[in-house]
Amino acid sequence: MQKIEELFTRGPQTILAQALAEDIGTGDVTTNSVISGSAKITAKLIAKAAGVIAGLPIAEMTFHLLDNSVKFGPAVADGNQIEPGQTLAEIEGDAAAILTGERTALNLVGRMSGIATLTRQFVNEVKGTKARILDTRKTAPNLRLLDKMAVRLGGGDNHRMGLFDMILIKDNHIDFAGSITEAVTRARKANSGLEIEVEARTLSDVSECLDLGINWIMLDNMVLEDMREAVRLVNGRVKVEASGSVTIENVRSIAETGVDYISVGALTHSVKALDVSLLVNWQ
């Protein structure tokens, strides 16, 4: 987890610089043609839908990469519930910098807020159980860090950041090695310092995992009855994650089987961006 925390601290600026470069290219020809170089404006970031706000510091950083003197005053805190028409932030400064950075900032805030909003819905569905909602690696390329930040702001937990910070032995690895035991043995020889999670497709797989001293067992697309039996077999000895075909309609039933975690790919791969806009005051 420490590696992920370090990425959260150091990573966003590189992502934002790349996003701005993608949009601006050799220059914002429209703004540079129409807007006077000395023009100043004030603007408000406005919510057009209800949800959970996420990414305001990212928006601020986006504008500051273009002009560090732009003033960005959040009106709410990341992770808060917001309503349509609510002011999210007030912005003041160089007109060209604000207009040039507008779309990048709005795109990122909208996506992150959509992820946080959907995550909060899943988290609310499992309240009263011990289950925690996890994200996955099903994120937008180059935006994983921001996607996972948004999951946290919605009340979810982060699973592994990538392929480097945890060993997750899945069906293809097991089939290639010939067995769960052989796959775990090979993984330990290569990377003994990392936590190991193994995908279990059957209750027999769960029993085999328990003899290997691993850290996590992922129950892959199991029916509820088998999940409950798997939890009974594990009896708290390792972390149990439910995965596969999780929806807002069935997540409560999955949580009630007693699993520790439920991973939900839809948090980031099927997110609907929250509608936000920039309202400029030209007076």
Side-chain angles (χ1 to χ4, degrees), residues 42-95:
T42 60
K44 291 182 178 181
L45 192 63
I46 303 292
K48 299 180 74 175
V52 176
I53 188 63
L56 292 180
I58 298 302
E60 180 177 16
M61 190 180 298
T62 301
F63 291 118
H64 283 174
L65 284 173
L66 294 169
D67 185 340
N68 198 46
S69 69
V70 170
K71 296 178 181 178
F72 188 97
V76 295
D78 263 13
N80 282 5
Q81 179 71 33
I82 57 170
E83 300 301 328
Q86 187 170 348
T87 296
L88 307 176
E90 296 186 353
I91 308 165
E92 181 181 352
D94 180 77

Side-chain angles (χ1 to χ4, degrees), residues 173-192:
H173 305 109
I174 295 166
D175 293 343
F176 181 85
S179 70
I180 290 173
T181 299
E182 178 60 21
V184 170
T185 299
R186 294 183 186 185
R188 280 210 171 101
K189 286 181 179 177
N191 291 287
S192 59

Side-chain angles (χ1 to χ4, degrees), residues 7-24:
L7 286 168
F8 282 157
T9 302
R10 297 183 284 106
Q13 190 165 12
T14 299
I15 295 172
L16 301 183
Q18 292 173 340
L20 286 169
E22 175 185 62
D23 201 29
I24 297 170

Side-chain angles (χ1 to χ4, degrees), residues 1-250:
M1 183 63 75
Q2 185 171 356
K3 288 182 180 178
I4 294 178
E5 298 295 353
E6 290 173 358
L7 286 168
F8 282 157
T9 302
R10 297 183 284 106
Q13 190 165 12
T14 299
I15 295 172
L16 301 183
Q18 292 173 340
L20 286 169
E22 175 185 62
D23 201 29
I24 297 170
T26 57
D28 179 354
V29 294
T30 308
T31 298
N32 292 343
S33 299
V34 177
I35 304 299
S36 167
S38 61
K40 306 290 182 183
I41 58 172
T42 60
K44 291 182 178 181
L45 192 63
I46 303 292
K48 299 180 74 175
V52 176
I53 188 63
L56 292 180
I58 298 302
E60 180 177 16
M61 190 180 298
T62 301
F63 291 118
H64 283 174
L65 284 173
L66 294 169
D67 185 340
N68 198 46
S69 69
V70 170
K71 296 178 181 178
F72 188 97
V76 295
D78 263 13
N80 282 5
Q81 179 71 33
I82 57 170
E83 300 301 328
Q86 187 170 348
T87 296
L88 307 176
E90 296 186 353
I91 308 165
E92 181 181 352
D94 180 77
I98 293 171
L99 295 179
T100 297
E102 173 186 0
R103 179 43 52 197
T104 298
L106 291 179
N107 285 350
L108 294 172
V109 170
R111 177 176 176 83
M112 290 182 70
S113 298
I115 291 170
T117 299
L118 184 58
T119 301
R120 184 71 54 82
Q121 292 170 4
F122 273 92
V123 169
N124 287 340
E125 282 295 318
V126 302
K127 276 186 177 177
T129 73
K130 70 174 183 177
R132 298 286 299 173
I133 299 299
L134 286 178
D135 56 23
T136 70
R137 287 170 46 241
K138 297 177 182 179
T139 54
N142 298 322
L143 290 181
R144 180 169 297 169
L145 181 62
L146 303 187
D147 284 0
K148 284 181 173 281
M149 282 182 174
V151 167
R152 284 195 182 187
L153 288 166
D157 291 357
N158 298 139
H159 202 279
R160 57 179 179 161
M161 177 61 72
L163 297 173
F164 56 88
D165 57 342
M166 182 182 186
I167 297 172
L168 177 47
I169 299 172
K170 303 191 77 174
D171 53 358
N172 288 329
H173 305 109
I174 295 166
D175 293 343
F176 181 85
S179 70
I180 290 173
T181 299
E182 178 60 21
V184 170
T185 299
R186 294 183 186 185
R188 280 210 171 101
K189 286 181 179 177
N191 291 287
S192 59
L194 294 175
E195 283 196 343
I196 297 177
E197 180 172 10
V198 175
E199 180 180 287
R201 291 171 278 187
T202 66
L203 292 174
S204 177
D205 288 349
V206 173
S207 296
E208 184 176 356
C209 288
L210 289 172
D211 294 331
L212 299 174
I214 61 172
N215 308 99
W216 296 58
I217 297 176
M218 175 193 288
L219 309 179
D220 179 50
N221 282 293
M222 284 191 182
V223 298
L224 294 176
E225 181 180 352
D226 285 350
M227 286 187 200
R228 281 189 287 269
E229 179 61 15
V231 170
R232 188 192 69 78
L233 288 170
V234 170
N235 195 28
R237 285 178 282 176
V238 300
K239 302 170 189 174
V240 180
E241 172 192 346
S243 178
S245 303
V246 179
T247 67
I248 200 71
E249 289 78 21
N250 67 17

